[in-house]
């Protein structure tokens, strides 16, 4: 079942950007024709964040209901202007007109420095997702509750964090009539969480470290009414992953003042 269209806007998958703009133009057109949202992965891209005259931009060319994923990465094409260290005005405008911004944490796309700039500007993600795969399940993403915990640390309210993993993504894919809320007649997808007081370190995708004091912990989970066992990270943070991921820190255009190896001792 098709719920939308996705494009990866990155020069390294478009022959050094040669086909990027045309691919983007066609994807925008397809999304418009079929009436479904477009999700844009925008990293290391030749498509600018800021709008220039009549040229395509991202998220500037996205429409209401489209999704800008990996929103808090710190590489080339970040939503933060490297000169001003503020969010590009076109990004704020996109959010105001209804473009949805998704964390899409992944293995490389969550950056504490970017996230803290966004928090200062009261720019919160509409959707919190893990982009979980074999490369990040042992860190730096781990699982959804860890990514949610990171947003709590930044100052996002518990209410808004829960909303960003339930009803908002359900609406984004046109499934709010069956999932995303505890409603009679909806599919029984239920998670019971506990908010613990903790003192622990959590890394971003390039091993920048923050010390969190509250953590969301899963206690019980049901999928479609069937109860499943809870799994938890074996090591949090995983010092092996922290060490490996730190190699990408120097490629960031938005980052902490000091490299992670001077802040974190395994």
């Amino acid at each position: 079942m098709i719920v939308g269209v996705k494009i990866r806007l990155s020069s390294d998958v478009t022959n050094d950007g040669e086909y990027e703009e045309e691919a983007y133009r066609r994807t925008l057109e397809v999304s418009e024709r079929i009436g479904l949202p477009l999700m844009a992965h925008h990293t290391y891209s030749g498509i600018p964040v800021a709008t220039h005259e009549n040229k395509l931009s991202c998220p500037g060319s996205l429409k209401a209901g489209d999704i800008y994923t990996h929103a808090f990465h710190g590489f080339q094409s970040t939503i933060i202007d490297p000169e001003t260290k503020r969010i590009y005005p076109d990004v704020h405008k996109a959010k105001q007109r209804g473009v949805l911004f998704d964390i899409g944490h992944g293995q490389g796309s969550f950056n504490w420095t970017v996230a803290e700039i966004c928090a200062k500007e009261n720019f919160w993600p509409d959707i919190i997702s893990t982009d979980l795969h074999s490369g990040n399940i042992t860190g730096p993403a781990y699982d959804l509750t860890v990514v949610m915990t990171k947003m709590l640390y930044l100052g996002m309210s518990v209410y808004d964090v829960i909303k960003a993993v339930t009803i908002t993504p359900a609406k984004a894919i046109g499934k709010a009539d069956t999932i995303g809320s505890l409603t009679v007649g909806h599919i029984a997808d239920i998670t019971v969480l506990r908010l613990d007081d903790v003192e622990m370190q959590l890394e971003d995708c390039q091993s920048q470290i923050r010390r969190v004091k509250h953590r969301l912990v899963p206690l019980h989970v049901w999928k479609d009414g069937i109860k499943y066992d809870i799994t938890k990270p074996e090591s949090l943070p995983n010092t092996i992953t922290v060490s490996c991921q730190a190699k990408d820190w120097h490629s960031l255009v938005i980052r902490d003042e000091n490299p992670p190896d001077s802040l974190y001792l395994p």
Side-chain angles (χ1 to χ4, degrees):
M1 181 177 294
I2 298 173
V3 297
V5 183
K6 184 176 181 182
I7 186 169
R8 177 171 177 172
L9 296 175
S10 300
S11 296
D12 62 350
V13 296
T14 54
N15 197 32
D16 290 330
E18 181 180 357
Y19 311 121
E20 195 173 20
E21 186 172 345
E22 179 61 17
Y24 187 30
R25 184 192 65 77
R26 293 188 185 189
T27 309
L28 288 165
E29 182 180 341
V30 169
S31 173
E32 187 70 35
R33 284 189 180 187
I34 65 176
L36 290 175
L38 185 155
M39 174 180 273
H41 167 142
H42 187 227
T43 59
Y44 289 106
S45 174
I47 303 296
V49 176
T51 302
H52 297 286
E53 298 177 350
N54 295 321
K55 291 186 177 181
L56 293 177
S57 63
C58 191
S61 298
L62 300 180
K63 64 183 181 301
D66 287 345
I67 303 167
Y68 186 99
T69 191
H70 309 308
F72 285 5
H73 76 82
F75 297 110
Q76 178 189 333
S77 307
T78 174
I79 62 173
I80 306 300
D81 184 338
E83 297 297 322
T84 66
K85 299 298 191 293
R86 295 182 61 85
I87 299 172
Y88 283 102
D90 288 293
V91 174
H92 279 295
K93 290 176 183 177
K95 200 173 201 305
Q96 290 165 5
R97 69 171 181 270
V99 174
L100 301 174
F101 286 81
D102 168 43
I103 289 296
H105 189 295
Q107 190 170 358
S109 296
F110 180 80
N111 176 299
W112 279 124
T113 322
V114 170
E116 287 166 348
I117 292 171
C118 290
K120 287 179 181 177
E121 296 191 36
N122 201 32
F123 186 96
W124 302 108
D126 302 284
I127 299 170
I128 298 172
S129 65
T130 58
D131 187 21
L132 201 64
H133 54 75
S134 61
N136 62 37
I137 197 167
T138 56
Y142 300 99
D143 60 34
L144 184 57
T145 54
V146 172
V147 180
M148 293 163 70
T149 293
K150 291 180 179 182
M151 299 313 302
L152 285 178
Y153 166 82
L154 291 164
M156 196 171 180
S157 71
V158 173
Y159 177 88
D160 286 338
V161 167
I162 298 299
K163 182 180 177 183
V165 298
T166 54
I167 190 62
T168 300
K171 287 180 178 178
I173 61 172
K175 297 293 180 182
D177 58 338
T178 56
I179 60 173
S181 62
L182 296 176
T183 304
V184 175
H186 283 204
I187 294 172
D189 294 344
I190 303 168
T191 304
V192 178
L193 303 173
R194 184 181 67 222
L195 184 60
D196 284 353
D197 294 330
V198 297
E199 284 284 346
M200 62 182 295
Q201 293 175 321
L202 281 180
E203 79 273 26
D204 67 8
C205 292
Q206 290 75 44
S207 303
Q208 300 184 136
I209 301 294
R210 300 294 186 269
R211 183 172 292 277
V212 305
K213 295 186 176 182
H214 305 286
R215 178 188 175 191
L216 284 168
V217 178
L219 301 179
H220 307 282
V221 63
W222 290 263
K223 171 62 182 171
D224 200 8
I226 300 173
K227 189 173 184 180
Y228 289 88
D229 292 336
I230 293 291
T231 61
K232 297 180 181 179
E234 293 183 5
S235 178
L236 187 66
N238 183 336
T239 56
I240 296 174
T241 302
V242 171
S243 178
C244 291
Q245 292 288 119
K247 70 183 187 305
D248 295 326
W249 184 84
H250 293 283
S251 299
L252 296 167
V253 297
I254 302 296
R255 63 192 187 193
D256 288 353
E257 183 176 350
N258 297 309
D261 59 356
S262 68
L263 296 174
Y264 181 77
L265 296 175

